[in-house]
Amino acid sequence: MGRYYHGTIGGKFWFGVQSSYDASSFKDQETNKIPIEYFEYYNCGCQVEKTQNLYCNQCYSTYQEHYDDLDDDDKENIDDEEDDDAEDDDAEDNDKKKLLAHPSGHIKYEFDESDLEYIKLILSKLESEIGIDVITQLNFTIDENENDEFEYDINNDVVKNIDDIKAELIARWCLGKQIKKAIDTVEYCTIFCEI
Ligand SMILES: [Zn+2]
């Protein structure tokens, strides 16, 4: 169990105190705080960003062909979604084609050197909130794991008896340090987060 993230960096979100959207903290513009949400097509399982086609044009040549290929459960799911937002729709919208995909359960963030100054700013704010003594005791180290992702390690004894508010800040600081390490080393950081 648990929510993991992978990509240029890898790790596990802290249980109970860290959101899957925590990387938004390191984006300075309000519009950039929203991660890219991924959808997975029914049946073929291809993953795409929300804005793309209603059906998977990699696997099917028409909408109808994809729709006809779905099993009954998936067809029901799509019809249920139609009910959810039916209120504002005209009656004729019953014929409207629906997205033949469902949320994939992960989101994506992309960072590069243009984010670096803001990341440093947030890290230093977090450091003063957490306290330099705690930061030192964490004994934070970072290394590439077997999947070539930057993964960190800390002294977990330090966080055992800490309150949730401070734990949340420490979890965020660790994530920010990972993102910074990736940008410093390979000039970008892509993160796929389980939600
Ligand atoms: Zn497909």
Side-chain angles (χ1 to χ4, degrees):
M1 283 298 286
R3 291 165 293 124
Y4 291 84
Y5 53 95
H6 64 95
T8 322
I9 62 173
K12 187 177 180 180
F13 291 109
W14 290 27
F15 179 77
V17 297
Q18 190 175 31
S19 152
S20 298
Y21 295 82
D22 208 21
S24 294
S25 311
F26 298 99
K27 287 285 190 183
D28 64 344
Q29 301 286 331
E30 212 46 53
T31 48
N32 292 336
K33 289 184 187 291
I34 302 160
I36 299 163
E37 193 173 358
Y38 272 76
F39 280 72
E40 182 179 319
Y41 283 115
Y42 287 110
N43 226 42
C44 62
C46 298
Q47 298 206 351
V48 287
E49 290 173 35
K50 191 178 187 176
T51 50
Q52 287 173 274
N53 291 312
L54 289 176
Y55 71 97
C56 181
N57 63 359
Q58 301 288 314
C59 303
Y60 300 97
S61 50
T62 64
Y63 179 92
Q64 198 59 44
E65 192 186 318
H66 191 168
Y67 187 83
D68 290 344
D69 214 19
L70 302 183
D71 64 36
D72 290 342
D73 284 349
D74 289 344
K75 281 179 183 167
E76 253 173 55
N77 281 334
I78 291 162
D79 290 339
D80 285 349
E81 281 168 29
E82 192 171 35
D83 290 339
D84 289 343
D85 48 24
E87 286 176 33
D88 326 312
D89 293 341
D90 298 320
E92 65 195 59
D93 277 357
N94 288 337
D95 293 334
K96 209 168 149 187
K97 289 171 181 171
K98 292 286 163 180
L99 180 67
L100 301 185
H102 57 91
S104 70
H106 76 263
I107 51 173
K108 181 173 124 179
Y109 285 95
E110 282 174 331
F111 290 88
D112 60 33
E113 285 174 306
S114 68
D115 298 302
L116 205 50
E117 283 311 307
Y118 191 75
I119 292 167
K120 285 188 205 166
L121 177 74
I122 298 301
L123 283 173
S124 77
K125 276 184 185 171
L126 287 167
E127 276 158 28
S128 53
E129 285 173 307
I130 294 162
I132 204 68
D133 50 334
V134 176
I135 297 277
T136 308
Q137 289 163 28
L138 283 174
N139 196 24
F140 181 94
T141 54
I142 191 159
D143 245 314
E144 283 183 82
N145 66 19
E146 68 277 9
N147 300 318
D148 297 327
E149 300 168 331
F150 292 104
E151 196 170 328
Y152 70 85
D153 195 26
I154 54 167
N155 177 5
N156 282 307
D157 290 341
V158 179
V159 293
K160 262 177 195 154
N161 299 312
I162 225 148
D163 62 75
D164 279 0
I165 293 166
K166 201 157 224 182
E168 184 181 346
L169 298 177
I170 295 170
R172 183 169 302 146
W173 179 80
C174 291
L175 180 64
K177 290 283 281 183
Q178 276 182 295
I179 298 170
K180 182 177 179 298
K181 173 73 176 182
I183 299 171
D184 285 343
T185 313
V186 296
E187 298 176 1
Y188 68 91
C189 182
T190 303
I191 324 169
F192 295 93
C193 309
E194 292 177 0
I195 53 177

PDB file of all heavy atoms in Angstrom, residues 41 44-46 56 58-60 66, ligand 1:
ATOM      1  N   TYR A  41      -7.517   4.989 -21.766  1.00  0.00           N
ATOM      2  CA  TYR A  41      -8.631   4.530 -22.606  1.00  0.00           C
ATOM      3  C   TYR A  41      -9.137   3.166 -22.144  1.00  0.00           C
ATOM      4  O   TYR A  41      -8.348   2.300 -21.762  1.00  0.00           O
ATOM      5  CB  TYR A  41      -8.201   4.432 -24.072  1.00  0.00           C
ATOM      6  CG  TYR A  41      -8.130   5.774 -24.754  1.00  0.00           C
ATOM      7  CD1 TYR A  41      -6.922   6.265 -25.204  1.00  0.00           C
ATOM      8  CD2 TYR A  41      -9.282   6.534 -24.937  1.00  0.00           C
ATOM      9  CE1 TYR A  41      -6.857   7.513 -25.833  1.00  0.00           C
ATOM     10  CE2 TYR A  41      -9.223   7.770 -25.558  1.00  0.00           C
ATOM     11  CZ  TYR A  41      -8.013   8.252 -25.997  1.00  0.00           C
ATOM     12  OH  TYR A  41      -7.952   9.471 -26.605  1.00  0.00           O
ATOM     13  N   CYS A  44      -8.171  -0.700 -24.596  1.00  0.00           N
ATOM     14  CA  CYS A  44      -6.777  -0.825 -25.062  1.00  0.00           C
ATOM     15  C   CYS A  44      -5.775  -0.393 -23.991  1.00  0.00           C
ATOM     16  O   CYS A  44      -4.631  -0.844 -23.993  1.00  0.00           O
ATOM     17  CB  CYS A  44      -6.561  -0.051 -26.355  1.00  0.00           C
ATOM     18  SG  CYS A  44      -6.825   1.712 -26.199  1.00  0.00           S
ATOM     19  N   GLY A  45      -6.209   0.500 -23.067  1.00  0.00           N
ATOM     20  CA  GLY A  45      -5.337   0.885 -21.952  1.00  0.00           C
ATOM     21  C   GLY A  45      -4.301   1.945 -22.265  1.00  0.00           C
ATOM     22  O   GLY A  45      -3.460   2.261 -21.430  1.00  0.00           O
ATOM     23  N   CYS A  46      -4.337   2.522 -23.457  1.00  0.00           N
ATOM     24  CA  CYS A  46      -3.387   3.584 -23.787  1.00  0.00           C
ATOM     25  C   CYS A  46      -3.657   4.808 -22.896  1.00  0.00           C
ATOM     26  O   CYS A  46      -4.799   5.095 -22.572  1.00  0.00           O
ATOM     27  CB  CYS A  46      -3.529   4.009 -25.248  1.00  0.00           C
ATOM     28  SG  CYS A  46      -3.169   2.679 -26.404  1.00  0.00           S
ATOM     29  N   CYS A  56      -9.405   6.207 -28.739  1.00  0.00           N
ATOM     30  CA  CYS A  56      -7.982   6.003 -28.974  1.00  0.00           C
ATOM     31  C   CYS A  56      -7.720   5.827 -30.469  1.00  0.00           C
ATOM     32  O   CYS A  56      -8.034   4.778 -31.043  1.00  0.00           O
ATOM     33  CB  CYS A  56      -7.476   4.786 -28.211  1.00  0.00           C
ATOM     34  SG  CYS A  56      -5.706   4.536 -28.483  1.00  0.00           S
ATOM     35  N   GLN A  58      -4.910   5.562 -31.807  1.00  0.00           N
ATOM     36  CA  GLN A  58      -3.765   4.680 -32.036  1.00  0.00           C
ATOM     37  C   GLN A  58      -4.252   3.261 -32.358  1.00  0.00           C
ATOM     38  O   GLN A  58      -3.627   2.536 -33.113  1.00  0.00           O
ATOM     39  CB  GLN A  58      -2.877   4.597 -30.786  1.00  0.00           C
ATOM     40  CG  GLN A  58      -2.315   5.932 -30.312  1.00  0.00           C
ATOM     41  CD  GLN A  58      -1.239   6.456 -31.244  1.00  0.00           C
ATOM     42  OE1 GLN A  58      -0.348   5.703 -31.638  1.00  0.00           O
ATOM     43  NE2 GLN A  58      -1.333   7.718 -31.606  1.00  0.00           N
ATOM     44  N   CYS A  59      -5.375   2.896 -31.709  1.00  0.00           N
ATOM     45  CA  CYS A  59      -5.837   1.509 -31.787  1.00  0.00           C
ATOM     46  C   CYS A  59      -7.100   1.334 -32.637  1.00  0.00           C
ATOM     47  O   CYS A  59      -7.388   0.230 -33.092  1.00  0.00           O
ATOM     48  CB  CYS A  59      -6.113   0.968 -30.393  1.00  0.00           C
ATOM     49  SG  CYS A  59      -4.687   1.066 -29.294  1.00  0.00           S
ATOM     50  N   TYR A  60      -7.862   2.421 -32.823  1.00  0.00           N
ATOM     51  CA  TYR A  60      -9.128   2.305 -33.552  1.00  0.00           C
ATOM     52  C   TYR A  60      -9.216   3.394 -34.626  1.00  0.00           C
ATOM     53  O   TYR A  60      -8.686   4.489 -34.447  1.00  0.00           O
ATOM     54  CB  TYR A  60     -10.319   2.459 -32.591  1.00  0.00           C
ATOM     55  CG  TYR A  60     -10.331   1.401 -31.508  1.00  0.00           C
ATOM     56  CD1 TYR A  60      -9.812   1.677 -30.251  1.00  0.00           C
ATOM     57  CD2 TYR A  60     -10.845   0.122 -31.756  1.00  0.00           C
ATOM     58  CE1 TYR A  60      -9.801   0.708 -29.255  1.00  0.00           C
ATOM     59  CE2 TYR A  60     -10.844  -0.848 -30.771  1.00  0.00           C
ATOM     60  CZ  TYR A  60     -10.319  -0.551 -29.524  1.00  0.00           C
ATOM     61  OH  TYR A  60     -10.312  -1.513 -28.550  1.00  0.00           O
ATOM     62  N   HIS A  66     -14.205   1.843 -31.523  1.00  0.00           N
ATOM     63  CA  HIS A  66     -13.712   1.722 -30.142  1.00  0.00           C
ATOM     64  C   HIS A  66     -14.869   1.414 -29.193  1.00  0.00           C
ATOM     65  O   HIS A  66     -14.793   0.510 -28.373  1.00  0.00           O
ATOM     66  CB  HIS A  66     -12.999   3.016 -29.722  1.00  0.00           C
ATOM     67  CG  HIS A  66     -12.235   2.898 -28.431  1.00  0.00           C
ATOM     68  ND1 HIS A  66     -11.349   3.861 -28.026  1.00  0.00           N
ATOM     69  CD2 HIS A  66     -12.233   1.952 -27.449  1.00  0.00           C
ATOM     70  CE1 HIS A  66     -10.817   3.502 -26.845  1.00  0.00           C
ATOM     71  NE2 HIS A  66     -11.352   2.351 -26.478  1.00  0.00           N
TER      72      HIS A  66
HETATM   73 ZN    ZN B   1      -5.199   2.535 -27.533  1.00  0.00          ZN
END
